[in-house]
Every structure is written in structure tokens, then in C-alpha cells.
Amino acid sequence: AQSVSQHNHHVILSEAASLELGCNYSYGGTVNLFWYVQYPGQHLQLLLKYFSGDPLVKGIKGFEAEFIKSKFSFNLRKPSVQWSDTAEYFCAVRRMTTDSWGKLQFGAGTQVVVTP
Amino acid sequence: DTAVSQTPKYLVTQMGNDKSIKCEQNLGHDTMYWYKQDSKKFLKIMFSYNNKELIINETVPNRFSPKSPDKAHLNLHINSLELGDSAVYFCASSQGGRRIKAEAFFGQGTRLTVV
């Protein structure tokens, strides 16, 4: 069965530190890849997405992610975090198959806490 | 202005009751979804509708019955609520054709607490 793995469940770091969150998936076909963020008590918001082309994608709020096809990975990065980046981060995969209909498979999420 | 809106935002009810959650999107998308987020924040799809037709049903108990009166609305009715149904339910929409590249937009979520 397809799965999406996020490497860390909980990350604590100081403001201005760099952040990297790992995401791997197990599906071998064509995929769309996403990172969503959920601020405390809020809904999921799209940070960035990869459909095709340049494997380095830039998103909102200074986030970027790199798709490495050979490693089935889509890691999220931010060079310098702020306190406002405290949130839950979800990696999601959409299989481009005839029966997936846009269904997203989510990773378990990573809780990121940024301390002042 | 809200793209995907759900009501209610909070729902507290007793075991055994029947309740509904409503969802509407004004993005013109043809596919809508219900996702469940459990207490550990894990998100899992429950249902998907494309142009009012059920296309995904992820082995959800038949106490859960989605209904899509038109492609802009997707409601979720839950019968005989159980303690384990307590979760946050998110509605989402996207342009969901089989091979269309598109992201999903999520509603604010409905926090259901069964007591």
C-alpha cells in the first residue's frame, strides 16, 4: 500500500535556525506533491506544490522544497524560521492514476515549535 | 469570500445522536472531499464526490452518509454517533479530474466531540 512518511514527529528550534522536514513516499508512478501547514486551531493551507518541471519549488513565507525522484523524497526547507512558523506541517501525495480522483495521502505530520 | 466553508465549526453531542456537517465551495471545482483528522493529527480521506457522484469511499462505517445535492455542496450525515467519531472533519475541494494537476483547498474544519 502506498504510504507517506514524515521523518520527524516533533521539532523544536530557535528563531533564525534553519528548518528541514523530510518526506518520503512509496508510490512509484507519477505523483503530485504538496506541503500543507496547519497553524494552531486553523485549517490546512497550501505552502507549496510540485507537479512537474524544476524539482526545486518555492512556496509562500520563504519555504521551498526539493523533489528527488530517485529517492522518492520531497523535503521542505526554510533557511531562517520565525516564531510565527510554529505549526503542524503535512506532506501529501496525489497519485496521478485513473482511479485516484485527486485523493491526497497525507503523512503523519510534523509539529514544529519555534522558540523566541 | 471564503473559498471552502463548513458549518458548524464546533459540534458537541451525545452518543447515539445523529448530526450533520455542511460544506460549500465557491471555487467552481468539480470534486469535493471529506477528510477526518484524529486526535494525533493524522489526516485520512473518507469520501470524494465528483459532479455529485460518489467516487471514493474509504471503508468508512455506513453510519456516515455523504450527500452532494450539487457540485458546490457536500454534506456529511452521521448516525448513531460513537465516542470514536470525535475528531476534526475537514471538507476540501479541487479540480479533481483523474489526471488534472491541482491542489486541494480545505475548509476551516468541524471539531466534533461526542460525549
Side-chain angles (χ1 to χ4, degrees):
Chain A
Q2 180 200 3
S3 69
V4 181
S5 300
Q6 291 185 233
H7 304 166
N8 308 92
H9 291 299
H10 202 87
V11 171
I12 301 175
L13 60 169
S14 301
E15 276 191 311
S18 64
L19 173 70
E20 178 158 0
L21 302 181
C23 174
N24 286 88
Y25 62 94
S26 61
Y27 178 64
T30 303
V31 295
N32 292 169
L33 300 162
F34 307 88
W35 276 97
Y36 283 87
V37 61
Q38 186 178 26
Y39 298 105
Q42 295 193 27
H43 66 297
L44 288 97
Q45 300 172 41
L46 183 69
L47 268 182
L48 45 76
K49 62 194 178 193
Y50 172 80
F51 291 153
S52 62
D54 188 346
L56 186 62
V57 292
K58 293 194 184 299
I60 60 171
K61 307 187 180 191
F63 284 91
E64 64 179 31
E66 185 177 13
F67 170 50
I68 302 179
K69 189 174 180 180
S70 60
K71 295 186 178 180
F72 298 91
S73 70
F74 189 55
N75 294 349
L76 180 71
R77 296 193 290 255
K78 184 170 183 177
S80 176
V81 295
Q82 300 172 318
W83 177 80
S84 58
D85 293 321
T86 294
E88 189 91 21
Y89 292 80
F90 293 93
C91 180
V93 176
R94 172 181 172 168
R95 295 166 53 194
M96 299 301 284
T97 61
T98 54
D99 62 348
S100 68
W101 287 97
K103 174 177 77 172
L104 291 173
Q105 187 98 9
F106 283 90
T110 299
Q111 174 69 47
V112 173
V113 175
V114 180
T115 60
Chain B
D1 271 329
T2 306
V4 183
S5 59
Q6 297 177 227
T7 53
K9 192 171 180 182
Y10 300 97
L11 188 51
V12 181
T13 188
Q14 290 187 322
M15 275 198 308
N17 283 351
D18 303 337
K19 290 292 177 187
S20 292
I21 307 172
K22 296 187 175 184
C23 179
E24 176 182 2
Q25 56 97 1
N26 62 7
L27 296 166
H29 291 159
D30 61 0
T31 306
M32 296 183 72
Y33 312 83
W34 280 110
Y35 286 84
K36 180 180 179 180
Q37 186 176 45
D38 63 23
S39 58
K40 295 184 179 177
K41 299 287 183 90
F42 187 68
L43 277 151
K44 190 168 182 203
I45 190 160
M46 300 173 68
F47 300 103
S48 176
Y49 271 74
N50 175 261
N51 285 319
K52 304 192 297 175
E53 184 182 341
L54 178 67
I55 51 171
I56 294 175
N57 181 342
E58 291 281 314
T59 60
V60 177
N62 57 15
R63 297 182 296 104
F64 290 78
S65 52
K67 280 193 172 53
S68 182
D70 56 62
K71 69 177 190 178
H73 295 83
L74 180 61
N75 304 325
L76 183 65
H77 187 76
I78 315 170
N79 289 326
S80 304
L81 278 154
E82 300 177 357
L83 292 176
D85 297 332
S86 295
V88 181
Y89 292 85
F90 284 101
C91 177
S93 75
S94 74
Q95 210 46 38
R98 289 166 172 165
R99 292 187 183 274
I100 291 178
K101 301 172 183 178
E103 66 264 36
F105 293 80
F106 286 80
Q108 296 277 354
T110 296
R111 183 174 292 278
L112 172 65
T113 304
V114 183
V115 298

